[in-house]
Amino acid sequence: MPGCEMANQLQNLSTNQMVHQADQADQAEIAILGGGCFWCLEAVYLEVLGVIKVESGYMGGQVADPSYEQVCAGATGHAEVVRLEFDPQQIGYRDILEIFFTIHDPTTLNRQGNDAGTQYRSVIYFTSPGQETTARQVMAEMANVWDGPLVTALAPAHTWYRAEDDHQDYFRRHPLQGYCAFVVAPKVIKFRKTFSNRLK
């Protein structure tokens, strides 16, 4: 019967999607980046083809399980970062970093625009020797692109702390909020124009 055939096709499609998602998760790599407010980076990387998952959080500090308020006060030593899971068959770590160096200013120490403080520092936390090597190569290339010297820090990944639920998927949930409209949105638009071939 047509109805049964349609139901079977939908079930097979759903099963294939689940298998594909499981395969992606099995082969996923992790990238951890800080470049100002994590709402900005999260909003961009959620649109990147090959990026499976994006979470905002904190890394590089001395206090266990810090709160957003503590990190914003600048006393914990953490940076606001995003943790990306990506499929290396769809997008390489180099490509992830090239986007990173395009959507934030890596020449301003502990500052992005009006956001100032060590929590807003430009930083790459590598998760493998291969990532460290690639990051150094990309940073050397980007040093010839930007007018000022790069201040981006490069360090091995530390303990990752996921930010509170209120800070996850923030731009999508609050596109008209003042900061999102005037700071986050322009970065998303720049990404879409510059990397149109990388859009989901």
Side-chain angles (χ1 to χ4, degrees):
M1 295 176 64
C4 292
E5 290 178 5
M6 179 67 76
N8 288 334
Q9 290 175 354
L10 290 174
Q11 184 175 7
N12 290 336
L13 179 61
S14 177
T15 301
N16 289 337
Q17 288 175 335
M18 290 174 64
V19 170
H20 177 65
Q21 290 172 351
D23 289 342
Q24 281 186 316
D26 287 342
Q27 63 189 13
E29 292 186 18
I30 304 297
I32 302 169
L33 308 168
C37 176
F38 47 29
W39 299 342
C40 297
L41 295 184
E42 180 196 53
V44 168
Y45 283 109
L46 281 171
E47 298 197 358
V48 176
L49 183 67
V51 173
I52 303 165
K53 184 178 182 180
V54 185
E55 287 187 315
S56 293
Y58 318 110
M59 185 171 284
Q62 300 84 37
V63 176
D65 199 21
S67 68
Y68 179 72
E69 289 73 17
Q70 287 176 312
V71 173
C72 282
T76 70
H78 292 87
E80 290 191 14
V81 298
V82 289
R83 180 182 184 275
L84 316 176
E85 292 184 20
F86 65 97
D87 181 352
Q89 293 188 356
Q90 290 189 290
I91 186 169
Y93 187 63
R94 165 177 284 272
D95 301 310
I96 294 283
L97 294 184
E98 288 178 353
I99 293 171
F100 173 67
F101 281 110
T102 302
I103 60 173
H104 90 293
D105 185 347
T107 68
T108 53
L109 184 63
N110 299 329
R111 174 185 291 274
Q112 288 295 306
N114 291 326
D115 294 330
T118 57
Q119 68 270 29
Y120 300 117
R121 62 188 178 270
S122 177
V123 58
I124 299 169
Y125 289 108
F126 57 86
T127 61
S128 70
Q131 283 195 357
E132 180 183 10
T133 299
T134 300
R136 291 190 183 280
Q137 293 171 347
V138 173
M139 289 171 67
E141 294 166 9
M142 289 298 164
N144 297 318
V145 174
W146 288 86
D147 292 333
L150 265 60
V151 296
T152 303
L154 182 61
H158 299 275
T159 303
W160 154 260
Y161 296 103
R162 185 180 184 274
E164 299 85 338
D165 288 343
D166 287 348
H167 299 289
Q168 307 300 329
D169 207 18
Y170 195 86
F171 178 65
R172 285 188 184 176
R173 293 187 295 108
H174 306 285
L176 301 181
Q177 188 250 25
Y179 186 92
C180 288
F182 292 103
V183 179
V184 183
K187 292 179 181 287
V188 174
I189 292 170
K190 183 177 183 179
F191 161 73
R192 291 172 180 171
K193 289 181 177 179
T194 308
F195 297 96
S196 58
N197 63 322
R198 291 292 181 188
L199 281 168
K200 288 180 178 177

